[in-house]
């Protein structure tokens, strides 16, 4: 916690009667647009986080303010109350205030951090203890209702379970999680393209609909179950099937300490997002080339695409040379 805690306490006006919870943003190392297709992802929590200060109310009212986006927070709170009620939360009043240092619209899951942090506060004030996967799914439903954007639950799972420098291999079909060690000689560098995007502009939903249509055409439950031969002529589906395999290739490379191979797979993944899934931009492509040109093992866009950030896997001793352009270095 930092100066945000003092600002939150002042905004609430409750003196010392304020409890705090936090949830981190995340960077997805590999596994883009695989989560809502029942596949695998390899995200990692960041030091950047969403901080919520809160205290109980006796009248059942739920009042939530944001120090960052004052006009946008109450619909999230209302959607979370509804989703948590489905998991057994009974009416309990709360005064809460939110402050985040996760860049918004940068593909670093600022909304996932918000939903988990606020969901934790709403749960705790009501005496409700939920398993992380259950909380993550409730928060996913709430985010979908608040934004109207269909989404997977990767971001919420990382916000609930993640720790910096500890990638999580998440099976998005059964919510199984395996922690993967990041070699000490590796640095994860996140660089912002400066291009902001909104997943509510329709392009994300179009890609998801195309994936669902491809699975139905092939006759499988989701593209996780499709084979490379079945999707060879469909670029969108081809990306998803090949991306699932790339997730496992990166995990194996990290476990073997083969950072050169892991980086090469990241760059391969960027080409797939650019050429097959068509969600990159010239700014993102340029950043990937720049990171690799400066000596990174590999780089790719991270997040839904259409803007946001690039993630690079680099030698730890190279991180200082990239620090002037980085959002964060892990």
């Amino acid at each position: 916690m930092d100066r945000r805690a003092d600002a939150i306490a002042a905004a609430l006006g409750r003196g010392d009667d304020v409890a705090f919870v936090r949830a981190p943003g995340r960077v997805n190392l590999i596994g883009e647009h695989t989560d809502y297709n029942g596949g695998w992802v390899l995200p990692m929590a960041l030091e950047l986080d969403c901080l919520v200060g809160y205290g109980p109310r006796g009248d059942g009212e739920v009042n939530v303010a944001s120090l960052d986006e004052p006009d946008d927070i109450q619909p999230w709170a209302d959607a979370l109350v509804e989703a948590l009620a489905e998991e057994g939360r009974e009416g309990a009043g709360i005064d809460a205030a939110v402050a985040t240092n996760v860049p918004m619209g940068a593909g670093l899951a600022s909304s996932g951090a918000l939903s988990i942090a606020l969901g934790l506060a709403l749960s705790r004030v009501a005496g409700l203890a939920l398993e992380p996967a259950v909380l993550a799914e409730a928060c996913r439903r709430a985010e979908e209702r608040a934004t109207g954007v269909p989404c997977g639950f990767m971001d919420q799972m990382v916000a609930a379970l993640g720790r910096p420098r500890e990638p999580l291999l998440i099976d998005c079909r059964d919510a199984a999680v395996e922690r993967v060690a990041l070699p000490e000689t590796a640095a994860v560098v996140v660089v912002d393209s400066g291009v902001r995007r909104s997943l509510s502009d329709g392009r994300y939903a179009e890609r998801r609909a195309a994936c669902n249509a491809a699975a139905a055409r092939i006759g499988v439950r989701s593209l996780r179950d499709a084979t490379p031969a079945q999707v060879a002529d469909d670029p969108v589906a081809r990306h998803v099937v090949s991306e699932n395999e790339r997730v496992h290739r990166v995990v194996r490379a990290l476990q073997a300490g083969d950072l050169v191979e892991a980086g090469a797979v990241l760059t391969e993944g960027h080409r797939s997002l650019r050429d097959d899934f068509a969600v990159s931009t010239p700014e993102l492509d340029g950043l990937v080339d720049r990171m690799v040109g400066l000596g990174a093992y590999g780089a790719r866009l991270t997040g839904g695409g259409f803007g946001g950030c690039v993630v690079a896997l680099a030698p730890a001793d190279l991180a200082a040379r990239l620090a002037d352009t980085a959002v964060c270095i892990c």
Side-chain angles (χ1 to χ4, degrees), residues 47-142:
E47 296 284 358
L48 305 172
D49 64 16
C50 179
L51 183 66
V52 175
Y54 66 97
R57 290 177 61 99
D59 58 6
E61 291 284 332
V62 174
N63 293 325
V64 181
S66 172
L67 277 60
D68 308 296
E69 296 284 345
D71 296 329
D72 295 336
I73 196 69
Q74 196 61 46
W76 286 83
D78 296 340
L80 280 163
V81 168
E82 179 183 348
L84 292 170
E86 295 165 357
E87 303 298 339
R89 182 187 187 275
E90 297 180 356
I94 188 173
D95 284 324
V98 177
T100 185
N101 57 20
V102 184
M104 298 180 186
L108 301 180
S110 60
S111 59
L114 168 64
S115 62
I116 288 293
L118 193 51
L120 282 170
L122 288 165
S123 297
R124 291 182 180 180
V125 79
L128 178 65
L130 296 176
E131 291 296 321
V134 176
L135 176 64
E137 171 55 22
C139 290
R140 184 205 64 78
R141 295 197 307 272

Side-chain angles (χ1 to χ4, degrees), residues 14-29:
R14 300 176 64 97
D16 294 332
D17 184 25
V18 180
F20 290 92
V21 290
R22 64 172 295 275
R26 65 98 186 97
V27 60
N28 193 22
L29 297 181

Side-chain angles (χ1 to χ4, degrees), residues 122-166:
L122 288 165
S123 297
R124 291 182 180 180
V125 79
L128 178 65
L130 296 176
E131 291 296 321
V134 176
L135 176 64
E137 171 55 22
C139 290
R140 184 205 64 78
R141 295 197 307 272
E143 181 171 341
E144 209 166 80
R145 293 166 185 171
T147 65
V149 178
C151 59
F153 77 151
M154 169 181 66
D155 296 350
Q156 292 81 10
M157 283 289 283
V158 183
L161 288 169
R163 296 192 288 262
R165 289 193 60 83
E166 190 175 74

Side-chain angles (χ1 to χ4, degrees), residues 30-47:
I30 193 76
E32 220 62 78
H33 296 278
T34 51
D35 58 339
Y36 55 82
N37 285 292
W40 292 269
V41 293
L42 189 67
M44 185 177 76
L46 300 173
E47 296 284 358

